[in-house]
């Protein structure tokens, strides 16, 4: 997995050698090598350029200081499933860099939403065969939010509203209980003829790549509202 910094000067990579590397894009030189438990499947750089997120085969989500390479926090990619180690397969920041969305390959079938500053889980998108594949609209902290997830031959759209966020004083760490009142259910779904491999969204247009070479283009006007 690779990601560019917003200004294009740095590249972050995650690989099977259990490291995250920060590169100088122009010089091709490694600036920092960051140790990680397990193969690193996903990396992302926050839009403000301050943080790097990574997810691994060992069910770990890590946040790093993009300027110094220092570890900021580490958490389990899914709560309460230590008996089956999960693969964190997707990490994505909100457009204001305040939230981190992570998707995992495990029985919990949830997308978790994290507060970047504290490292605490504030939301879960729950209840389907979810793998986080793409975000729609802008994840601004004070506007409505949508997240697109996939399960088999279906694209699910979930709306996350600010009033549904767990108040800061009620945020809990893993291992100290979990407040399932933060669960959010899909508000719309789209079925396609074949199993979905990839989904991308631009404005109100959803482009779905399926097995067998099929491409399906969907329109969801409410995403652009």
């Amino acid at each position: 997995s690779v990601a560019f910094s917003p200004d294009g000067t740095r590249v972050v990579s995650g690989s099977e050698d259990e490291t995250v590397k920060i590169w100088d894009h122009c010089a091709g030189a490694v600036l920092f090598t960051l140790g990680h438990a397990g193969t690193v499947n996903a990396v992302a750089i926050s839009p403000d350029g301050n943080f790097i997120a990574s997810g691994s085969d060992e069910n770990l989500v890590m946040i790093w200081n993009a300027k110094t390479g220092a570890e900021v926090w580490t958490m389990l990619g899914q709560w309460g499933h230590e008996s089956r180690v999960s693969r964190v397969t997707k990490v994505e920041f909100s457009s204001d860099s305040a939230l981190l969305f992570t998707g995992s390959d495990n029985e919990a079938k949830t997308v978790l939403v994290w507060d970047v500053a504290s490292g605490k889980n504030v939301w879960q998108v729950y209840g389907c065969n979810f793998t986080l594949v793409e975000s729609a609209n802008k994840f601004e902290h004070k506007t409505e939010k949508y997240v697109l997830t996939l399960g088999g031959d279906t694209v699910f759209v979930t709306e996350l509203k600010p009033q549904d966020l767990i108040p800061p004083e009620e945020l809990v760490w893993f291992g100290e209980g979990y407040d399932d009142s933060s669960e959010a259910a899909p508000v719309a779904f789209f079925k396609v003829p074949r199993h979905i491999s990839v989904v991308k969204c631009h404005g109100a247009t959803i482009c779905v790549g399926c097995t067998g070479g099929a491409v399906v283009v969907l329109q969801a006007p409410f995403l652009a509202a």
Side-chain angles (χ1 to χ4, degrees):
S1 179
V2 295
F4 274 95
S5 63
D7 62 6
T9 62
R10 295 187 178 190
V11 174
V12 175
S13 63
S15 62
E16 292 182 351
D17 66 359
E18 302 186 357
T19 65
V20 173
K21 288 184 169 63
I22 304 175
W23 304 76
D24 182 304
H25 173 226
C26 296
V30 176
L31 301 176
F32 303 105
T33 298
L34 315 175
H36 212 300
T39 295
V40 181
N41 301 307
V43 294
I45 304 179
S46 61
D48 63 11
N50 291 329
F51 298 103
I52 293 167
S54 57
S56 76
D57 273 357
E58 296 301 312
N59 194 28
L60 292 179
V61 175
M62 302 185 72
I63 291 286
W64 313 83
N65 184 304
K67 307 255 190 299
T68 66
E71 180 184 334
V72 178
W73 55 261
T74 301
M75 294 298 286
L76 292 178
Q78 291 286 351
W79 67 278
H81 287 263
E82 292 84 354
S83 60
R84 179 185 185 276
V85 175
S86 305
R87 299 172 60 248
V88 179
T89 55
K90 177 73 174 182
V91 293
E92 182 178 343
F93 285 95
S94 61
S95 62
D96 61 3
S97 303
L99 300 175
L100 178 70
F101 293 73
T102 65
S104 296
D105 171 21
N106 81 339
E107 296 136 345
K109 301 177 182 178
T110 58
V111 171
L112 297 184
V113 187
W114 309 81
D115 178 77
V116 172
S118 67
K120 294 182 179 181
N121 177 225
V122 294
W123 245 331
Q124 63 171 328
V125 182
Y126 175 79
C128 294
N129 185 18
F130 281 161
T131 300
L132 181 61
V133 291
E134 182 61 43
S135 62
N137 213 338
K138 291 187 175 181
F139 290 112
E140 297 296 341
H141 219 30
K142 295 183 179 180
T143 63
E144 292 185 344
K145 308 167 182 72
Y146 295 93
V147 60
L148 270 64
T149 56
L150 64 85
D153 62 354
T154 307
V155 178
F156 300 90
V157 182
T158 301
E159 181 182 13
L160 306 178
K161 297 180 179 180
Q163 60 265 31
D164 294 331
L165 275 170
I166 304 172
E169 64 273 11
E170 296 179 14
L171 297 181
V172 294
W173 294 96
F174 284 133
E176 297 178 359
Y178 194 82
D179 181 0
D180 61 9
S181 65
S182 62
E183 294 175 2
V187 295
F189 65 91
F190 304 89
K191 292 187 73 68
V192 297
R194 297 174 181 267
H195 188 89
I196 301 170
S197 301
V198 64
V199 173
K200 290 293 180 182
C201 182
H202 180 74
T205 303
I206 303 171
C207 188
V208 183
C210 305
T211 56
V215 176
V216 179
V217 179
L218 306 168
Q219 291 295 322
F222 61 90
L223 293 181

